[in-house]
């Protein structure tokens, strides 16, 4: 038991020391801990920690029991002293293992947070650089647009003057068309009047012809 606890403590110390220096071992340890904290790994770790806590409580209970027994008996038992020393050492080592495990967990958590913060900072830097590049590009585009607008202004003014001339011509043509429409309406009215006059004249001529033919018939009889 003691040999196993010492081996675990040395392994935990190696992990903690690997966190302090940027070496390939640090990367390997971080990747291993990342995998341990996935899937069923946290359940296994919690189970082991709970087992250690139970064993630690059992050792503390044994120490207290032996001490009560030694207080009741006036004679000091060397076996009890050895057992108390053994249980005390085991309890100390198990407590130290749990403490180092907590330190490793916190260090791993903070290293992951630091790595995420660095990635976020790098992404923010890249975004700011792209924004600055886009800003410079937009400034150049703005300058080019201003130059293009300055070159297009004379053409726009020329087109506006041509549009005004064409609009005035169109108005004149509209006035001429209106005059022609009114004139055509006058012609149509005159044509209708002339048709009516012609019809009246024809009817008068027919009446005259009819009366003259009637008079001739009377003379002949």
């Amino acid at each position: 038991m003691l040999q196993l606890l010492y081996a675990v403590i040395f392994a935990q110390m190696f992990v903690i020391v690997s966190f302090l220096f940027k070496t390939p071992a640090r990367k390997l340890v971080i990747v291993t801990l990342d995998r341990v904290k996935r899937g069923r790994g946290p359940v296994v770790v919690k189970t082991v920690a709970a087992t250690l806590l139970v064993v630690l409580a059992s050792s503390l209970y044994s120490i207290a029991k032996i001490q009560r027994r030694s207080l009741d008996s006036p004679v000091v038992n060397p076996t009890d002293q050895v057992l108390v020393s053994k249980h005390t050492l085991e309890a100390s080592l198990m407590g130290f293992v749990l403490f180092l495990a907590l330190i490793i967990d916190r260090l791993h958590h903070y290293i992951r947070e630091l790595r995420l913060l660095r990635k976020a900072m790098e992404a923010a830097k890249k975004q700011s650089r792209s924004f600055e590049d886009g800003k410079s590009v937009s400034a150049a585009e703005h300058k080019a647009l201003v130059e293009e607008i300055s070159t297009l202004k004379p053409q726009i003014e020329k087109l506006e003057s041509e549009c005004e001339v064409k609009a005035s011509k169109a108005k004149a043509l509209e006035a001429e068309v209106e005059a022609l429409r009114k004139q055509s309406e006058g012609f149509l009215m005159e044509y209708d009047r002339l048709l009516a006059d012609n019809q009246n004249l024809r009817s008068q001529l027919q009446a005259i012809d009819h009366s003259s033919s009637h008079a001739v018939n009377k003379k002949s009889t």
Side-chain angles (χ1 to χ4, degrees):
M1 183 69 179
L2 293 176
Q3 290 82 4
L4 178 62
L5 290 174
Y6 278 119
V8 173
I9 289 171
F10 283 121
Q12 289 176 332
M13 291 176 65
F14 171 76
V15 171
I16 293 171
V17 171
S18 66
F19 281 151
L20 300 177
F21 302 100
K22 193 173 182 180
T23 57
R26 176 183 176 181
K27 186 176 181 181
L28 179 62
V29 169
I30 291 173
V31 171
T32 304
L33 290 176
D34 288 337
R35 292 181 179 178
V36 168
K37 289 186 177 182
R38 296 174 185 171
R40 300 177 62 184
V43 178
V44 175
V45 172
K46 289 178 181 179
T47 304
V48 173
T51 305
L52 283 176
L53 284 174
V54 171
V55 176
L56 176 60
S58 176
S59 297
L60 292 176
Y61 177 75
S62 299
I63 292 169
K65 185 177 179 181
I66 292 170
Q67 285 181 351
R68 283 199 304 268
R69 188 173 59 192
S70 62
L71 289 174
D72 293 336
S73 66
V75 181
V76 178
N77 191 352
T79 305
D80 290 340
Q81 290 182 349
V82 172
L83 290 174
V84 168
S85 300
K86 181 176 179 295
H87 287 305
T88 303
L89 181 60
E90 288 179 353
S92 300
L93 291 176
M94 284 186 285
F96 194 54
V97 166
L98 292 173
F99 178 71
L100 290 179
L102 181 62
I103 291 176
I104 290 171
D105 180 68
R106 291 296 88 194
L107 285 174
H108 177 253
H109 175 72
Y110 292 138
I111 287 172
R112 286 182 63 187
E113 291 291 330
L114 182 62
R115 185 170 56 186
L116 293 174
L117 286 174
R118 285 179 178 174
K119 289 182 179 179
M121 288 178 65
E122 290 177 357
K125 287 181 180 179
K126 289 180 180 179
Q127 188 175 2
S128 64
R129 288 175 184 173
S130 62
F131 178 74
E132 289 177 356
D133 294 338
K135 189 175 180 181
S136 61
V137 170
S138 63
E141 290 179 354
H142 178 70
K143 186 178 179 181
L145 287 173
V146 169
E147 292 178 354
E148 187 175 358
I149 289 170
S150 62
T151 55
L152 289 174
K153 274 184 178 180
Q155 297 180 4
I156 293 170
E157 292 176 355
K158 183 179 178 181
L159 290 173
E160 286 178 351
S161 61
E162 290 179 356
C163 287
E164 290 178 357
V165 172
K166 289 181 179 180
S168 61
K169 288 183 179 179
K171 288 181 180 179
L173 289 174
E174 287 178 358
E176 291 179 0
V177 169
E178 185 67 20
L180 290 173
R181 186 181 64 80
K182 290 180 179 180
Q183 189 176 3
S184 63
E185 289 178 355
F187 287 156
L188 288 173
M189 292 174 66
E190 185 67 22
Y191 178 72
D192 291 336
R193 189 181 63 79
L194 291 174
L195 283 176
D197 292 342
N198 189 12
Q199 187 67 29
N200 290 329
L201 290 174
R202 284 183 179 180
S203 61
Q204 289 176 3
L205 288 173
Q206 288 177 359
I208 292 169
D209 290 337
H210 181 71
S211 62
S212 61
S213 61
H214 184 68
V216 169
N217 289 329
K218 281 183 178 182
K219 287 180 180 180
S220 62
T221 57

